Amino acid sequence: MINREDMLELTRRMTLSRNSIARIAGCYVDRDGDFEGSFNTNFLKLSAAERTEKLKVAKAIPFGETNVQLKEFVFSPEDRRPGSMWQLLMGLNECGLKNDALLDTFYDVVMERFQASYEYGVFVFFGRYDVPLKASDKERLWESEEVYEYMICAVCPLKGEYEPGEPVCGFLFPAFMDRSGDPSRALVFQAEAGRKRWDIPGIFGKS
């Protein structure tokens, strides 16, 4: 089960003043499902208005209703075989989204599995959170317990000039559980609980 406090701790670092997002990448897809272009940039190079807009998108994934909109997905040993999506996600996370070839492969899989009759964007964020230690009374200490590096993917309908609407689905990888990263799991978001907007098992390794 996902602990809501873990998600709140992470989303508190998704504001302009306490931002943990370092990079953003993504692609645009037309209503026929064809690739329209991509981007990849340092998050801090965006204007304040753009960062505010994109942080809202990123935050929507872990901030989804815990264990209803946001659910745990466990990668089986088979899902983690060489050449799997899990291996691709690990590679993307390790390079901090700085490998465009890996990103293009990822976009291809998402576009194949996500079906829509409207224009949409695939937005991918890379973040780094220095998880602070907590004393026995749960007060924060200055020492770091772990540096949690993660990626968030959000699929959003487009509005206006390539502006993202509210995410319809997405995921957080590795999962943030018990205040630590767990690469054997992802946390999967579906805005409409009970209605799958993409084939998550297919994306993550099960056809």
Side-chain angles (χ1 to χ4, degrees), residues 24-39:
I24 180 173
C27 75
Y28 302 111
V29 184
D30 67 20
R31 62 180 65 251
D32 295 321
D34 295 324
F35 180 86
E36 275 203 333
S38 62
F39 64 91

Side-chain angles (χ1 to χ4, degrees), residues 22-25 40-42 86-104 106-107 124-128 149-151 173-174:
R23 195 163 193 88
I24 180 173
N40 189 345
T41 189
N42 185 311
W86 178 85
Q87 187 179 54
L88 177 60
L89 295 178
M90 290 291 290
L92 284 168
N93 207 48
E94 288 171 4
C95 75
L97 304 184
K98 292 182 180 179
N99 187 316
D100 286 327
L102 292 181
L103 282 165
D104 287 343
F106 174 73
Y107 300 146
V124 189
F125 304 83
F126 172 75
R128 186 179 289 110
E149 295 186 334
Y150 63 93
M151 57 182 289
F173 176 85

Side-chain angles (χ1 to χ4, degrees), residues 65-166:
E65 188 176 355
T66 308
N67 300 306
V68 179
Q69 292 178 310
L70 188 69
K71 294 186 177 182
E72 179 184 352
F73 179 92
V74 180
F75 291 92
S76 69
E78 182 181 353
D79 294 333
R80 288 178 271 170
R81 66 191 185 282
S84 65
M85 175 54 75
W86 178 85
Q87 187 179 54
L88 177 60
L89 295 178
M90 290 291 290
L92 284 168
N93 207 48
E94 288 171 4
C95 75
L97 304 184
K98 292 182 180 179
N99 187 316
D100 286 327
L102 292 181
L103 282 165
D104 287 343
T105 300
F106 174 73
Y107 300 146
D108 286 342
V109 176
V110 174
M111 290 166 58
E112 178 184 350
R113 299 288 180 171
F114 182 78
Q115 303 297 320
S117 58
Y118 49 78
E119 297 178 326
Y120 66 90
V122 180
F123 298 90
V124 189
F125 304 83
F126 172 75
R128 186 179 289 110
Y129 172 39
D130 203 358
V131 184
L133 284 168
K134 283 189 176 181
S136 57
D137 59 2
K138 297 188 178 180
E139 288 294 319
R140 294 179 185 275
L141 303 175
W142 288 108
E143 293 86 353
S144 172
E145 185 170 14
E146 172 186 346
V147 177
Y148 168 57
E149 295 186 334
Y150 63 93
M151 57 182 289
I152 290 175
C153 174
V155 179
C156 308
L158 295 178
K159 58 181 184 179
E161 192 67 23
Y162 297 115
E163 296 177 10
E166 294 184 2

Side-chain angles (χ1 to χ4, degrees), residues 171-190:
F171 63 85
L172 167 68
F173 176 85
F176 188 59
M177 305 187 77
D178 298 323
R179 307 188 68 243
S180 180
D182 183 350
S184 71
R185 291 172 166 80
L187 303 184
V188 177
F189 171 82
Q190 302 278 356

Side-chain angles (χ1 to χ4, degrees), residues 7-21:
M7 298 300 98
L8 293 177
E9 179 174 351
L10 190 58
T11 56
R12 289 188 193 105
R13 271 66 189 176
M14 295 181 188
T15 66
L16 286 181
S17 60
R18 304 177 73 189
N19 174 43
S20 64
I21 301 294

